[in-house]
Amino acid sequence: AEVSVRVTYCRIRTLPVYEQVESMILLSRRFRPVSETKDQQEVLDKKDIVLSTCGTKGVVRLWKASHTGSDGPLVVSELSLLASQSEKEAFGEDNGGYTSLHLTSLSTTHWSPLLVVVDAEHNMTYLRMGWKGSTLVFSTDRSIVGHNGEILDLSVVPKGDKLVEEGDKHTVAVATNSSQVRLFGLSEAKEEENEENNDVQCHTALSPRGMLDGHTAIVLSIDASPCGRYLATAGKDKTMRLWHIESQKCIGVATGHTEAVGSVALSRKIGCYDVGGKAAENGAGSFAVTSSKDR
């Protein structure tokens, strides 16, 4: 006679994380950072339930819950936060948040488990989990950048003081089929040797560094100042905007065109960007040129 087995799942506990969760991964012991010291073991015990979440807030978080009680039904404690992406590295809620989270097969090393998170702009970010003293932290290993449309214009920002993130070789401003301009860091190329044929391959990656949001229609043209401090953008909203790159704030808006502004350029003499006062008013300072089909 055939024997049928019926499995019934029952809810043990509801654990709130206070955001719309788009993806969650339950991490088994072999996919967690190893707790080597006593302080680390107090933070993360091998019996703890560990999971990672991402969602509409655009932050990857690592949580733990503990078993409570040895007899009777299984009881799970409240969730406590183990690690969270820093505000600087997180994609953020305003940008659309994260859409999915994945665990790579490379994570079986124990020492530095690797997660892959996908954001609303189709960028993939590789995150490593590791110990910093007795604290668990996320660190960005690399990012693979995608776009929602064609790239209409881009500008490599000259390297200036405090404008390029540590480890970045250049900052690149990109105008896609959007009203927003995105900033990316281009890291130094890393050389890796292929053991099979002794070939040396160079790898580099773009990492998100910010977004300039202010235009009300698609941005068509961008240009960086030679000093690396400013970026001019122009678009279909008939305006030109001037941005301070380090603070990522708009510091000026030029109006007057009656049609879309198809091109913008900043003056090329570096010294002119330090000219102020009456000298600048008399034409010795920097300037911008725009063109449009409004004639």
Side-chain angles (χ1 to χ4, degrees):
E2 294 184 358
V3 178
S4 61
V5 178
R6 182 178 180 182
V7 178
T8 303
Y9 293 94
C10 61
R11 180 177 62 86
I12 298 174
R13 188 164 190 168
T14 299
L15 303 173
V17 295
Y18 305 105
E19 72 170 325
Q20 180 176 315
V21 178
E22 298 291 344
S23 188
M24 183 193 76
I25 296 175
L26 185 65
L27 301 175
S28 62
R29 293 180 190 176
R30 69 191 186 107
F31 290 104
R32 307 178 193 175
V34 175
S35 302
E36 293 186 300
T37 67
K38 184 177 180 180
D39 290 339
Q40 292 174 356
Q41 291 170 0
E42 291 179 355
V43 174
L44 180 60
D45 186 84
K46 63 181 181 179
K47 294 182 180 179
D48 289 336
I49 300 170
V50 180
L51 53 90
S52 184
T53 62
C54 72
T56 54
K57 289 188 176 180
V59 180
V60 177
R61 294 183 174 93
L62 194 67
W63 307 85
K64 80 167 182 178
S66 303
H67 297 285
T68 58
S70 56
D71 299 326
L74 177 64
V75 180
V76 179
S77 69
E78 293 283 352
L79 281 178
S80 60
L81 187 64
L82 278 175
S84 177
Q85 266 186 301
S86 66
E87 183 178 349
K88 184 178 180 181
E89 293 189 346
F91 187 68
E93 185 174 12
D94 293 340
N95 297 329
Y98 290 123
T99 58
S100 63
L101 183 67
H102 309 271
L103 183 66
T104 73
S105 59
L106 300 175
S107 301
T108 54
T109 57
H110 273 261
W111 302 106
S112 189
L114 194 63
L115 298 174
V116 181
V117 62
V118 181
D119 61 45
E121 295 178 0
H122 314 300
N123 307 317
M124 294 187 296
T125 302
Y126 290 77
L127 299 175
R128 290 194 181 275
M129 296 176 285
W131 291 102
K132 189 175 182 180
S134 59
T135 304
L136 272 172
V137 296
F138 282 114
S139 60
T140 300
D141 184 79
R142 74 190 73 173
S143 296
I144 300 175
V145 176
H147 299 284
N148 289 324
E150 63 179 317
I151 297 177
L152 301 181
D153 197 8
L154 65 82
S155 180
V156 178
V157 179
K159 192 171 183 178
D161 295 339
K162 301 180 181 179
L163 296 182
V164 178
E165 296 282 341
E166 183 178 354
D168 288 347
K169 187 176 182 180
H170 298 291
T171 296
V172 181
V174 181
T176 61
N177 197 22
S178 168
S179 62
Q180 300 163 332
V181 174
R182 289 163 177 79
L183 302 176
F184 300 101
L186 180 64
S187 60
E188 292 278 1
K190 297 180 180 179
E191 294 187 353
E192 295 182 2
E193 185 174 349
N194 190 325
E195 296 180 356
E196 295 182 0
N197 51 23
N198 294 324
D199 287 342
V200 176
Q201 298 177 335
C202 293
H203 301 275
T204 189
L206 288 173
S207 300
R209 292 289 179 253
M211 181 177 62
L212 307 180
D213 189 5
H215 282 279
T216 58
I218 293 174
V219 175
L220 300 174
S221 179
I222 57 179
D223 190 37
S225 66
C227 64
R229 300 199 298 267
Y230 307 103
L231 188 76
T233 61
K236 290 186 176 182
D237 59 1
K238 308 172 188 177
T239 67
M240 185 273 286
R241 287 178 176 264
L242 187 66
W243 306 83
H244 183 245
I245 298 176
E246 183 180 359
S247 64
Q248 298 182 14
K249 292 182 178 180
C250 180
I251 57 176
V253 181
T255 60
H257 285 290
T258 59
E259 297 290 345
V261 184
S263 184
V264 63
L266 292 173
S267 54
R268 308 319 298 170
K269 289 187 177 181
I270 296 179
C272 292
Y273 289 86
D274 295 318
V275 177
K278 291 185 178 180
E281 293 176 1
N282 293 330
S286 57
F287 59 89
V289 177
T290 60
S291 65
S292 170
K293 64 178 181 180
D294 57 10
R295 301 179 181 177

